[in-house]
Amino acid sequence: MRRLIFIAAALALVVAACTEDGRDTAAVSVGTVELGAAAPAFYPDLDWINPADSVDTSGAVTLVHFWRQSCLTCLETVADIETLQSEFGDALTVIGVHSPKFPREADADGVRRAAQHLEYPGLVVNDPDRAIWSEWGIQAWPTIAVVDGEGNLAGGHIGLGAAEALRPLLTDLVAATPGTSGVPAGLGTPAPTVLSYPEGVMSDAEGNRLFIADTGHHRIVVAALDTYEVLAVIGDGTAASADGPAATASFHTPRGLALYASTLYVADSGNHLIRAIDLNSFDVTTVAGTGEQSVLNTPWDLVRTEDGLLVSLAGANQLVLVDLDSGEVRPYAGSGRQGTGNGEADDAEFAMPTGLAIDAAGAVYVSDAESSAIRSVAPDGTVGHIAGGTDGLFEFGDADGISTDARLQHPLGVAIGAGAVWVADTYNSKIKRISLIGEVETLVGGEGWRDGSSPLFAAPADVDVANGLLYVADRDNHSVRVVDPSTGATSTVILVGIERLVPVDADFDGTLVVLDPVEVGEGTGTLTLDVAFPPGYKANELAPSRFEWTAAGDAIVIPEAANLSVAGPVFPMQFEFTFATGEGRLQGDVWLVYCENTTERICLFDRARIEVPLLVTDGGSTDIEVAYEVALPDGL
């Protein structure tokens, strides 16, 4: 029998306490409810992203994780939860309660996409109005509560280090708890878009290049600035930190980009490293950081200065300067305290500094995401305020105006050029302009997707300027957009040669289509392949789809002409083979590139494997028919 999961109305924070047997077992209460008390239930009619009744929690130990998608520490805590799950297995149930700070984070579809992207390791419930948060009395992200097998609050943890802090408590609880959690419902996988959540863009007018941090794919894409032809792909797509040639090097959540001479520097956020790409060889090296957060805590963006690389450390609430000769990292601005305080460099406060831009006089502009403000650092190190609220971390909104009268919502990107400071006002899905007198004005935007004179965006994360145009990393639209700042007219970059972005040697992870055994006749035979795309989609006319055939047994001969790449394939397609008496198996691997009919704003990949068992006789049919219907992914 399934039971409801009971939660205390306040949280306990596990603290280390040395007992007589040397084990850390103590926990203290945070709030008014004592440890060991039962509390309200999670009901099935809440806004579950994946169904709550898929797990039988009877007698199981439960972790309840309060998180939000814009909180870096929350995302890092997911790794701790995965570690604990791997250690305790089915004895542990995980429920992620997504309680937003910003209004845009309350959308259930957005929560689902974020959970898919994270591969969240448990059940997820959307708490759009923070009702569950309030019922518990939670006061900080991330918070993890531990519920024992009887449904009573046993302890918890706030912030980083959850795995180490909670392991002793969980060990005791699991040993005393007979129940198991079962298997949580799947969240699905992210849509196989050409770009995945790009969070960095840099335009190089002199070199005619466009650099894109393809963040969700853990790689860097280089394209021609005039034709958008893909010139290079750096990174093998795995979330790792290998140096070396482009095809085997790896990144983890790359974001900011900076160009100096023939070197592209990358803020490799997930690895806590600064990487360098030699643009002659496309080899990747590590120039700063050890992979430890204590050295570089989530580098987000970087700009080249005379003294080295200026780097925003979003996780440390600081700016640092990296010496490119020695790799030494030294403080530049920010005390490390999270806040909005201005003043001297070593005493000022930031709150998740992300985007950076530097003007001709050496003044630095900073997107301070969690304070929803644009800050500045003068050449002498003095930290000041440019736009947005100044009174705490919850003074956000969407309003134009002069300096402190303006309101932004979690801005991630900033750029200087074309006579203004440009802001990617991420959670307002707008591009805003700050004039030389500090007036904030919306240029274009609003939630959605639309090109033209009244464009829409979806969480634009970065902006850059070249040739008088703005280049925008439109994160949640998986696109790069181009905006004319004089008119607001916007178009979408359609990459040419995107077949270079398809993983050629990846293990098969597509749709398997197995036909019943087919009897065919000796001699030349024809296989007719008919592919149906989702309504509103068509085969890409610029990027080739690929068809590769192999055979098992001696009964099938495959001519070279059957293996081909063709842009804009028209279905049904016919492939000819030669059959000889006997048995065999024909296998076709099909890579399809398809886009929306009218806009082509999003192009997708689809992979199918067709297997046809064959019996060749002297009296069989000479035709084989295969129908395949492409399913639109859930993750769009």
Side-chain angles (χ1 to χ4, degrees), residues 28-60:
V28 295
S29 178
V30 177
T32 58
V33 177
E34 296 294 330
L35 293 175
F42 273 75
Y43 293 101
D45 60 354
L46 294 172
D47 189 9
W48 294 97
I49 301 301
N50 46 352
D53 61 359
S54 62
V55 175
D56 185 353
T57 60
S58 300

Side-chain angles (χ1 to χ4, degrees), residues 11 64-68 71-78 133 138 140-144 157-160 162:
L11 180 71
V64 183
H65 175 216
F66 286 86
W67 66 291
R68 59 181 169 92
C71 163
L72 289 179
T73 309
C74 297
L75 306 185
E76 292 166 359
T77 303
V78 173
W133 167 284
I138 305 301
W141 294 276
T143 291
I144 298 178
H157 184 73
I158 298 173
L160 294 174

Side-chain angles (χ1 to χ4, degrees), residues 235-275:
D236 64 3
T238 60
S241 58
D243 286 343
T248 57
S250 54
F251 301 87
H252 188 336
T253 319
R255 289 187 170 107
L257 306 168
L259 179 65
Y260 182 71
S262 61
T263 301
L264 182 70
Y265 295 98
V266 181
D268 195 7
S269 294
N271 282 321
H272 309 292
L273 299 173
I274 303 300
R275 316 290 292 283

Side-chain angles (χ1 to χ4, degrees), residues 198-201 213 424 458-463 471-476 479-481:
E199 295 195 57
V201 63
D462 197 16
V463 60
Y471 292 84
V472 179
D474 195 11
R475 188 187 70 188
D476 288 4
S479 304
V480 173
R481 317 285 293 281

Side-chain angles (χ1 to χ4, degrees), residues 314-349:
N317 301 310
Q318 287 180 308
L319 307 187
V320 297
L321 194 65
V322 174
D323 186 304
L324 291 174
D325 293 326
S326 65
E328 178 188 1
V329 178
R330 60 180 185 270
Y332 185 83
S335 63
R337 299 186 305 272
Q338 187 179 71
T340 59
N342 295 319
E344 297 296 324
D346 58 358
D347 193 48
E349 299 169 333

Side-chain angles (χ1 to χ4, degrees), residues 186-235:
L187 287 158
T189 57
T193 48
V194 172
L195 300 175
S196 176
Y197 299 101
E199 295 195 57
V201 63
M202 183 170 188
S203 48
D204 171 26
E206 183 177 350
N208 189 38
R209 292 172 296 193
L210 180 67
F211 301 101
I212 304 168
D214 191 7
T215 308
H217 286 144
H218 309 292
R219 63 188 178 185
I220 306 300
V221 176
V222 185
L225 189 61
D226 54 354
T227 64
Y228 305 138
E229 179 182 359
V230 175
L231 303 176
V233 181
I234 302 103

